[in-house]
Amino acid sequence: SIAAIARDATAAAGRAVDALRLLTRDDDDEDEEPRGVCKLGYSWEAIDVKAWRGRRDLAETLRDLANQPGCQAEYVYVQEFVDAAGEVRSYCVDGRVEETLWTRFDRPDDAGDDAGKFTTFHEVPRAEALRAWCGGDEAAFADAEKAVRSLVEDWLVWLRALDADPQPFVRVDVFVKVRADGRV
């Protein structure tokens, strides 16, 4: 929370890393430097999304996002870094998927004014995503699309359970990762 960051950003960063390790059941890599992204909710096109590496950098990133001018967020979200091939964005209207885009961000710079920020976004045609993400393996790509659609539909059901009316609009973003064995 913003209040926890204001109290002690270093302690908040430590608790966030511990929670991520719990969620990923990542006990064996205690010595490995944690990395991830922080984001403010309702950020558009990663304007308020910043990469971090290590607890000290996480504490600084939390402070930077929480204290930026005009920030009215109550929380800064902390996520593990996912080395994804790309992202599938599902645009949902009235509880149904209406449009799907395949996208990717370039990796953030390590220095300069945009250090740690995801600033370069690309929409990728389906055929290019198929080639780049799955090496042209249509079956693997179809499996990925099916898994994304199922996940998005589950999220839409969950959102509907929170309110009897479907959300007028929501975008659900899902990372796609190609495993060493070729599975997506």
Side-chain angles (χ1 to χ4, degrees), residues 35-46:
R35 65 190 277 220
V37 297
C38 289
K39 60 173 62 174
L40 295 177
Y42 305 105
S43 179
W44 184 252
E45 298 304 342

Side-chain angles (χ1 to χ4, degrees), residues 18-150:
D18 292 344
L20 286 176
R21 286 209 163 113
L22 259 175
L23 286 169
T24 59
R25 296 179 182 9
D26 190 8
D27 302 335
D28 355 322
D29 291 332
E30 283 292 322
D31 296 332
E32 186 178 314
E33 182 177 52
R35 65 190 277 220
V37 297
C38 289
K39 60 173 62 174
L40 295 177
Y42 305 105
S43 179
W44 184 252
E45 298 304 342
I47 289 170
D48 302 306
V49 178
K50 194 170 177 192
W52 56 269
R53 197 180 283 262
R55 290 175 189 248
R56 181 175 295 146
D57 190 31
L58 173 55
E60 185 178 319
T61 300
L62 289 170
R63 257 189 240 103
D64 288 349
L65 286 173
N67 294 320
Q68 68 184 6
C71 177
Q72 296 180 2
E74 293 182 39
Y75 297 94
V76 176
Y77 298 100
V78 179
Q79 295 176 297
E80 70 175 319
F81 180 78
V82 176
D83 193 14
E87 180 181 66
V88 178
R89 294 181 171 193
S90 297
Y91 294 83
C92 308
V93 178
D94 294 329
R96 290 183 310 282
V97 176
E98 293 292 333
E99 184 73 31
T100 301
L101 297 180
W102 295 266
T103 64
R104 69 176 173 81
F105 280 97
D106 289 342
R107 293 192 184 279
D109 292 332
D110 288 333
D113 290 342
D114 289 331
K117 293 183 179 177
F118 294 84
T119 56
T120 309
F121 165 81
H122 303 278
E123 183 179 336
V124 180
R126 184 186 184 281
E128 184 181 325
L130 167 64
R131 182 190 50 73
W133 301 357
C134 298
D137 184 340
E138 186 71 54
F141 199 75
D143 287 346
E145 288 178 309
K146 182 179 176 184
V148 167
R149 185 129 187 136
S150 176

